Amino acid sequence: MNSSLLSLAIWVPIVGALPVLALGSERRNQMRWLALAVALAGFAVTLPLYLGFDISQAGMQFVEQAPWITRFNVQYALGVDGISMPFVILNSFITVIVVIAGWEVIEEKQAQYMGAFLIMSGLVNGIFSALDGILFYVFFEASLIPMYLIIGIWGGPNRVYAAIKFFLYTLLGSLLMLIAMIWLFLEAGGSADIFDWYRLPIGMTAQILLFIAFMLSFAVKIPMWPVHTWLPDAHVEAPTGGSVVLAAIALKQGAYGFLRFSLPILPDASHYLAPMVITLSLIAVIYIGFVALVQSDMKKLVAYSSISHMGFVTLGFFIFNPIGMEGALVQMISHGFVAGAMFLCIGIMYDRMHSRQIADYGGVINSMPKFAAFFLLFAMANAGLPATSGFVGEFMVILGAVKFNFWIGFAAAITLILGAAYTLWMYKRVVFGAVANEHVAKLTDIGAREFLFLAVLAACVLAMGLYPLPFTEVMHASVENLLKHVAVSKLP
Amino acid sequence: MLNNFVMPDLYPAAPEIFLLLMSFVVLFADLFLGATQRRLAGRLTLLTLIGCAFITVYTDDGQSTLTFSNMFIDDLLADFLKLTTYVAVATMLVYGRQYLADRQLDKGEFYLLVLYATLGMMVMISAASLLTLYLGLELMSLSLYALVAIDRDSSRATEAAMKYFVLGALASGLLLYGMSMIYGATGNLEIGSIAQALLQDKADKTVLVFGLVFIVAGIAFKLGAVPFHMWIPDVYHGAPTVVTLFIGSAPKLAAYAMALRLLVYGLFSLAKEWQTMLLIMAVLSIGLGNLAAIAQSNLKRMLAYSAISHMGYMLLGLTAGVAGAEVDPFTVVNAYGSALYYTVAYVLMSLGSFGMILLLSRAGYEAEHLDDFKGLNQRSPWFAAIMLVFMLSMAGIPFFIGFFAKFAVLLAAVKAGHTVVAVVAVLFSLIGAFYYLRVVKLMYFDDPVDASPICAPVNMTFLLSLNGVAVAAFGLFPDAIMTMCTAVLLRSL
């Protein structure tokens, strides 16, 4: 009966973007309010997904199915389980924040800015709810277009390079995934239904090849070391909203892909190649953590910290125990809030100072006390302080990793030190101390609009840190089911 | 003598006959009224195409009918291709009217040549004998050579026409030579009888394969596949943009028909042989087309190289028909259907992208450089979005028709066991994505050099918008054309 909710979550923002674009930037005020209304409507239709979610069920809920390309038996099949449902909501929520955050600071072509984010939001909801491989791929690739335009039109001085690098890097990965999907499609006797793919017995060589094809696509998106180099460029050049969506949403698509495709379709290859993935994850956690330490650009620092945090996520997946996997999922959601908030904070400073260099700041607390308080909370969450959302996920993953192998857990735990080091050191240099220069002295504190979205995010971060049960309980059944599935060999 | 003469059934060829008659009307109307009624010829030509479409639909009985002593076939495939051709030609006329008028090229000759070229394509599409096919091909080619040179005072156009003519004549020669060998080996000119003769295994295989090589070379030339692609960049670049638009659209359909009639209807028993040849050409075309397009600063030239790569993808579909030892009808239809779908999708995108060049061109000014698209988003967000759709569709990014065309072809290729080739093809399309993205970058990320507003006739802007919306809509709902392509083939093979 609620079965059209997911379609609404996808198409409300996309269709709503059309009148926003049609209004154009000349009628700025109406356009902005309309964009906000569309984003809120898009968020509102995702709320029943949580409220009506049956946590005892492991399977797909809110399922919709309709023939799409009958010629190839490709279905318009949507559904969410405990793994994907939180991301649909997170995505729609972040879109609202982004629309509010772009309210005044975007001066050029604001209608297209809002339109691009709304379309992006719909496409990303499609990624998280597609139950048909080809449909997933279509959403996965189509979501590159708005992000390409967002970075390229509203980005920084080197935006063209960053936008094209972003697009081609991600396209490279996904094209090989397309071939892998076509192969699976034919093996499954002409079905792109991912549940048919789950049941398909596949030989070891084929599994490894397919795993690599899928992994290239997802690893670029996450991004894992060593294919991460597009992310710092994209983050630094993207406008604030673009960075927020990249960090909070886009990176999660790759991690989600592992859970939805690689692990259940290719369990044997996943086990076989797990040491490789774990190694890459640990390199991301530790090495990229050190790289983050030496950054002089705040956005770059947070970008590297994102890579490091995402290393935690992949680590949690490939140790194959429930606590690790749930921890990784919590970490993904938490990172969505925290990294999004960090980029918003940097954006707030950038709007006033037009600089992201740590060296240009110092003593911000004197002129922006309210802002400094929020920024501190998010920085602490980024460092994984207990009672913030950042702690829950990291702690669970470390627990899982120690269960799996003490030394892996030990290595992963280094991130707690590194994360605290780079985040808090950056915070100290930017916010504390004496007022560095007259620009900082002239800063104005955050206004009501900025206060609003920071407060909402702060509430989320704290709520998730203090009482994570509402977030984890929806995942239990689906994660258990997934792990059960991964434990069974699919070799013919 | 005349006692033996049987009046052929003219009914299946009714659209061709109507077009021929109308061409006389256009000729005379232009001759006597052209001076006073400058738009008459163009309008009559459009009317002719509409009339042809009506006749084609009206005379369609869903059957394959042979006429003119089995030299002419009217099947569902022919009807489908002809209707698509009318749409492409009519679109070209609407897009090109202002451009032609600005350059004083909208003379009667232009429309006549377009009509004859269209007639040539129709005959090619309906050819059931080697002779008919050659006749149609020459009628089309000769008209096109003249069309390229229609702007008499442009030295670039004349040079392009000369190259096109010399190379085209050579290719026709090769094709004819190949046909003569096939005739020598089988003793037949009728495509159906050739297929029969080959099935009975009476023909000399060596001669046949020799003939096949020449025929494949001729087809590859018309498609513009590597290594017979040399003419494409120069002709696309040199010809007036309207003519480039024409060459880049409808003749691709005719060339597909030619490939299908000759290779699949006629020489299917030799599929293993020609599939290998086409596979090599497909990979080379995809590779060279995409690589060379990066280096272009002229949009027409860039689209020319992109056309080469697109024809490579189309050929990839044609190579996937026979995979194992046995011929599986489903695979066959799947493969040739995907190639047909690709061709139709390409024509749709090609019409639109050249249409955009025409839209931005003014009297005395050709907007054919990449830089002319700079900042289009600021000049006209709507048309920038339309161009974005065309470019991303050509790059094979979903939700646009180009993605599903690539998907269908890749699916057929993987099914036929060409997985490695499919991987190579997608990797080159990654390279291809770069130059399409560059156009998007110019339109969206750069500031305009020339901020003059875009002025074009309403019917052109409307049709161009419709074209863009169609590329997007057929991407959201790819089923319609896809099913049509396979259904048509199912009932015609």
Side-chain angles (χ1 to χ4, degrees):
Chain A
M1 31 175 193
N2 288 330
S3 63
S4 59
L5 275 177
L6 287 170
S7 275
L8 286 175
I10 296 171
W11 298 108
V12 163
I14 294 179
V15 174
L18 301 178
V20 171
L21 288 169
L23 269 180
S25 306
E26 293 80 41
R27 271 163 289 181
R28 195 165 176 221
N29 227 13
Q30 286 125 299
M31 185 277 297
R32 287 193 299 207
W33 283 105
L34 181 66
L36 182 63
V38 172
L40 282 172
F43 179 48
V45 295
T46 61
L47 285 178
L49 291 177
Y50 184 84
L51 300 174
F53 195 81
D54 178 359
I55 56 169
S56 61
Q57 250 195 51
M60 290 294 164
Q61 305 186 27
F62 307 104
V63 175
E64 291 173 45
Q65 194 154 22
W68 182 37
I69 313 176
T70 48
R71 171 87 193 82
F72 294 121
N73 190 22
V74 173
Q75 305 279 327
Y76 174 77
L78 303 174
V80 283
D81 61 1
I83 294 170
S84 51
M85 184 272 289
F87 294 105
V88 173
I89 300 177
L90 175 70
N91 171 46
S92 304
F93 170 71
I94 292 288
T95 306
V96 178
I97 300 277
V98 166
V99 167
I100 300 175
W103 202 257
E104 264 152 21
V105 288
I106 300 297
E107 276 155 5
E108 254 182 80
K109 303 178 210 132
Q110 201 185 20
Q112 292 186 346
Y113 180 86
M114 300 292 186
F117 277 107
L118 291 172
I119 291 174
M120 176 92 184
S121 163
L123 294 174
V124 171
N125 280 342
I127 297 173
F128 286 121
S129 48
L131 294 185
D132 183 288
I134 304 300
L135 187 69
F136 171 86
Y137 180 83
V138 164
F139 280 121
F140 194 74
E141 224 179 73
S143 72
L144 297 183
I145 306 169
M147 193 40 100
Y148 172 72
L149 294 177
I150 289 165
I151 298 175
I153 301 180
W154 297 279
N158 205 10
R159 59 189 201 274
V160 174
Y161 169 77
I164 292 186
K165 188 173 178 182
F166 159 77
F167 199 105
L168 293 183
Y169 243 84
T170 21
L171 189 64
L172 165 71
S174 42
L175 283 172
L176 289 175
M177 178 170 79
L178 178 65
I179 300 291
M181 284 185 167
I182 288 178
W183 194 88
L184 280 169
F185 173 82
L186 292 170
E187 279 299 294
S191 166
D193 185 337
I194 53 176
F195 295 104
D196 286 343
W197 293 357
Y198 287 1
R199 285 189 287 270
L200 193 68
I202 309 170
M204 195 63 190
T205 323
Q207 280 207 22
I208 288 176
L209 286 174
L210 289 172
F211 188 88
I212 289 170
F214 275 115
M215 177 165 160
L216 255 176
S217 165
F218 301 141
V220 167
K221 203 88 186 203
I222 286 179
M224 291 171 78
W225 185 85
V227 285
H228 64 281
T229 61
W230 64 271
L231 187 78
D233 284 318
H235 265 315
V236 168
E237 299 304 330
T240 304
S243 292
V244 171
V245 169
L246 261 180
I249 309 299
L251 307 190
K252 310 305 181 291
Q253 297 162 10
Y256 170 76
F258 269 118
L259 290 190
R260 187 62 80 226
F261 291 89
S262 305
L263 291 183
I265 298 175
L266 313 159
D268 303 287
S270 303
H271 282 289
Y272 180 72
L273 295 173
M276 178 185 81
V277 181
I278 290 175
T279 313
L280 293 179
S281 307
L282 287 178
I283 292 176
V285 168
I286 298 166
Y287 166 70
I288 299 292
F290 278 112
V291 174
L293 206 52
V294 297
Q295 296 308 315
S296 57
D297 180 311
M298 286 188 277
K299 256 187 158 179
K300 239 183 181 147
L301 189 146
V302 181
Y304 279 112
S305 114
S306 288
I307 303 171
S308 172
H309 283 117
M310 290 310 284
F312 240 79
V313 172
T314 43
L315 177 68
F317 290 167
F318 280 83
I319 52 180
F320 301 109
N321 58 35
I323 190 150
M325 194 168 280
E326 270 178 35
L329 283 167
V330 171
Q331 168 82 339
M332 278 161 75
I333 300 171
S334 149
H335 180 258
F337 292 132
V338 176
M342 288 295 279
F343 280 118
L344 284 169
C345 287
I346 296 169
I348 287 171
M349 287 191 280
Y350 181 80
D351 294 338
R352 291 166 170 72
M353 295 272 289
H354 295 283
S355 165
R356 287 182 306 256
Q357 295 301 316
I358 297 175
D360 290 346
Y361 291 87
V364 171
I365 193 164
N366 298 307
S367 40
M368 300 175 76
K370 275 188 268 177
F371 169 76
F374 279 120
F375 195 22
L376 180 67
L377 173 71
F378 298 129
M380 287 298 181
N382 200 39
L385 185 82
T388 62
S389 62
F391 173 73
V392 182
E394 287 184 9
F395 183 66
M396 286 167 84
V397 173
I398 292 172
L399 264 183
V402 169
K403 254 191 195 169
F404 178 76
N405 176 321
F406 173 76
W407 291 108
I408 290 177
F410 178 77
I414 294 175
T415 194
L416 291 176
I417 305 167
L418 280 174
Y422 58 71
T423 319
L424 298 183
W425 190 34
M426 184 262 285
Y427 185 80
K428 180 209 146 233
R429 283 179 289 169
V430 170
V431 178
F432 291 146
V435 174
N437 49 46
E438 77 257 35
H439 296 296
V440 174
K442 273 190 245 152
L443 284 176
T444 48
D445 208 348
I446 46 176
R449 191 179 48 80
E450 289 157 335
F451 188 89
L452 172 74
F453 62 72
L454 288 183
V456 171
L457 280 170
C460 293
V461 167
L462 282 174
M464 207 174 161
L466 292 170
Y467 189 56
L469 189 69
F471 295 90
T472 52
E473 67 177 2
V474 294
M475 300 168 183
H476 279 314
S478 301
V479 168
E480 294 273 333
N481 184 44
L482 175 66
L483 284 170
K484 230 183 283 164
H485 193 97
V486 176
V488 181
S489 170
K490 278 175 69 179
L491 294 175
Chain B
M1 272 309 267
L2 272 177
N3 296 343
N4 293 334
F5 182 78
V6 184
M7 182 66 187
D9 182 8
L10 296 179
Y11 194 64
E16 282 83 356
I17 294 167
F18 174 73
L19 195 144
L20 187 64
L21 290 176
M22 282 303 287
S23 73
F24 298 144
V25 175
V26 173
L27 177 65
F28 281 99
D30 183 64
L31 199 59
F32 293 110
L33 303 169
T36 49
Q37 303 262 317
R38 294 192 61 233
R39 285 184 159 179
L40 188 69
R43 288 199 175 135
L44 274 176
T45 311
L46 264 180
L47 271 181
T48 308
L49 290 168
I50 295 168
C52 281
F54 269 115
I55 296 173
T56 307
V57 173
Y58 185 71
T59 59
D60 170 44
D61 51 1
Q63 307 284 321
S64 297
T65 326
L66 285 160
T67 183
F68 292 108
S69 325
N70 299 341
M71 291 177 81
F72 188 94
I73 186 168
D74 177 33
D75 54 7
L76 219 53
L77 174 71
D79 289 339
F80 177 69
L81 282 173
K82 278 179 201 169
L83 285 171
T84 323
T85 306
Y86 305 145
V87 172
V89 177
T91 311
M92 181 273 283
L93 289 174
V94 175
Y95 286 175
R97 209 181 67 197
Q98 190 64 41
Y99 182 93
L100 289 167
D102 287 343
R103 285 159 189 73
Q104 270 92 43
L105 294 175
D106 56 344
K107 295 170 278 197
E109 298 93 289
F110 177 84
Y111 296 103
L112 269 179
L113 286 169
V114 166
L115 279 178
Y116 288 131
T118 311
L119 182 61
M121 292 174 217
M122 291 160 73
V123 172
M124 274 169 88
I125 289 169
S126 274
S129 129
L130 299 183
L131 269 186
T132 328
L133 192 111
Y134 187 73
L135 206 67
L137 177 66
E138 282 307 282
L139 181 56
M140 175 189 88
S141 301
L142 286 170
S143 312
L144 289 181
Y145 304 146
L147 274 174
V148 172
I150 193 122
D151 189 4
R152 200 179 56 161
D153 301 328
S154 158
S155 56
R156 225 173 50 186
T158 318
E159 184 195 325
M162 208 54 211
K163 278 181 186 157
Y164 192 18
F165 174 68
V166 172
L167 289 174
L170 184 70
S172 296
L174 291 178
L175 187 71
L176 206 56
Y177 191 46
M179 286 175 173
S180 73
M181 285 193 182
I182 301 286
Y183 177 64
T186 61
N188 262 307
L189 281 174
E190 284 160 30
I191 290 172
S193 312
I194 291 172
Q196 284 298 321
L198 288 179
L199 277 180
Q200 288 155 7
D201 223 6
K202 284 189 298 200
D204 181 348
K205 191 91 184 252
T206 322
V207 181
L208 270 180
V209 173
F210 254 99
L212 180 66
V213 171
F214 287 110
I215 284 191
V216 167
I219 293 172
F221 179 87
K222 291 300 160 195
L223 284 171
V226 178
F228 304 97
H229 65 286
M230 304 296 187
W231 61 277
I232 294 245
D234 288 335
V235 171
Y236 272 48
H237 184 191
T241 310
V242 184
V243 180
T244 311
L245 170 75
F246 188 40
I247 295 178
S249 56
K252 306 286 180 203
L253 294 162
Y256 170 82
M258 176 164 94
L260 204 71
R261 298 277 186 216
L262 280 174
L263 299 178
V264 178
Y265 283 75
L267 304 170
F268 194 65
S269 309
L270 299 175
K272 290 268 180 208
E273 277 81 11
W274 57 255
Q275 274 184 191
T276 320
M277 297 184 215
L278 294 191
L279 193 63
I280 295 168
M281 293 198 299
V283 174
L284 288 177
S285 304
I286 294 171
L288 187 125
N290 279 325
L291 286 176
I294 293 179
Q296 308 307 321
S297 62
N298 183 298
L299 187 61
K300 276 160 84 180
R301 249 185 133 73
M302 188 195 100
L303 288 173
Y305 281 107
S306 114
I308 296 173
S309 78
H310 282 292
M311 287 305 112
Y313 280 106
M314 193 277 262
L315 284 179
L316 204 56
L318 286 182
T319 62
V322 182
E326 283 185 22
V327 177
D328 164 28
F330 179 74
T331 318
V332 168
V333 170
N334 210 7
Y336 305 141
S338 75
L340 177 59
Y341 181 56
Y342 201 97
T343 316
V344 173
Y346 174 71
V347 167
L348 211 55
M349 301 184 289
S350 173
L351 281 172
S353 9
F354 284 112
M356 282 300 299
I357 301 180
L358 290 176
L359 179 79
L360 297 188
S361 297
R362 293 186 302 273
Y365 179 73
E366 304 274 341
E368 58 179 38
H369 288 280
L370 283 175
D371 287 350
D372 295 325
F373 281 78
K374 268 192 177 170
L376 185 62
N377 184 37
Q378 290 172 33
R379 292 169 66 192
S380 163
W382 173 247
F383 282 108
I386 297 273
M387 187 66 174
L388 172 88
V389 168
F390 292 136
M391 288 295 114
L392 292 178
S393 176
M394 282 206 177
I397 308 291
F399 278 118
F400 304 118
I401 193 171
F403 166 74
F404 295 96
K406 277 210 172 75
F407 174 70
V409 165
L410 289 174
L411 192 72
V414 174
K415 196 171 168 69
H418 304 315
T419 314
V420 178
V421 176
V423 171
V424 172
V426 294
L427 289 182
F428 275 114
S429 77
L430 175 73
I431 295 170
F434 171 74
Y435 60 84
Y436 297 120
L437 281 182
R438 190 172 53 187
V439 177
V440 176
K441 173 229 153 197
L442 290 171
M443 293 190 304
Y444 278 89
F445 307 166
D446 290 353
D447 287 324
V449 185
D450 147 33
S452 58
I454 293 162
C455 48
V458 183
N459 51 8
M460 173 179 184
T461 51
F462 177 74
L463 195 63
L464 196 56
S465 306
L466 194 69
N467 194 338
V469 171
V471 168
F474 286 129
L476 277 174
F477 305 100
D479 224 16
I481 300 188
M482 230 183 238
T483 320
M484 213 187 292
C485 288
T486 34
V488 155
L489 273 177
L490 259 181
R491 296 180 57 186
S492 308
L493 277 172

